[in-house]
Amino acid sequence: MGILGSILILGAAWDVNLSAALYALPDEENLVQPTVRADRDHLHLEARHNYEDRNATSLFLGANFAWGDGTSLALTPMFGVLFGDVHGLVPGLEADFGAGLFEAYTEAEYVVDLEDSTSSYLYAWSELSVRPAERWRLGLVGQRTRAYRTDRDIQRGLLLGMAFRRIEGTVYLFNPGSDGHFTVVSLSLSY
């Protein structure tokens, strides 16, 4: 049946999201960061590669909690393991807030490096956006990561996204107007 058949079977009882982000970096080799998320009721499973650091894979187990309809809040506390070029433990939290046209999303995690405790660090990604039309969103983005290096500890920029049925694409322009600018193009499929 293969991987696709397994995912489709899971899709009947699970909410599954497959995504990939291409980091087009000016002074380093480009980076592709794939993520797979699967949710069923309160259970959250997630696998990532090149997310916390290059050549590192993380696996997470978490719990989903959600409140509200028009104004909504969803929280997913998670705990993960990291292996590859970095070995560690990763407690984290994803939070999603929506109110009318406005959305806010943030995720934060602390990477506990098991081989070198001085290399442990906080990773964060945050978005604040507005949906002027049902399929479009635009806003601000910020992140702190170790997957690539720039002169800035916190990257910040603009985002423009479009959704059509189960597919969403977003372009992120980080550090616009600076020598350390770069682009991230993200594509996701949910079912």
Side-chain angles (χ1 to χ4, degrees), residues 127 129-130 132 135-141 157-163 168-173 184-186:
E127 297 180 10
S129 60
V130 63
R135 293 187 178 151
W136 293 93
R137 70 185 184 109
L138 55 102
L140 304 172
V141 62
L158 306 170
L159 70 88
L160 175 62
M162 185 196 146
E168 183 170 351
T170 307
V171 175
Y172 301 92
L173 303 173
V184 177
V185 178
S186 174

Side-chain angles (χ1 to χ4, degrees), residues 84-146:
D85 283 1
V86 179
H87 295 87
L89 301 175
V90 189
L93 176 69
E94 295 177 351
D96 204 348
F97 174 77
L101 301 175
F102 296 95
E103 298 176 352
Y105 172 80
T106 191
E107 60 185 77
E109 57 189 43
Y110 190 75
V111 177
V112 179
D113 190 321
L114 296 176
E115 295 173 340
D116 179 8
S117 62
T118 62
S119 292
S120 298
Y121 66 96
L122 176 69
Y123 166 86
W125 176 283
S126 296
E127 297 180 10
L128 179 60
S129 60
V130 63
R131 286 196 182 268
E134 183 179 343
R135 293 187 178 151
W136 293 93
R137 70 185 184 109
L138 55 102
L140 304 172
V141 62
Q143 74 167 344
R144 183 175 192 272
T145 185
R146 291 226 176 140

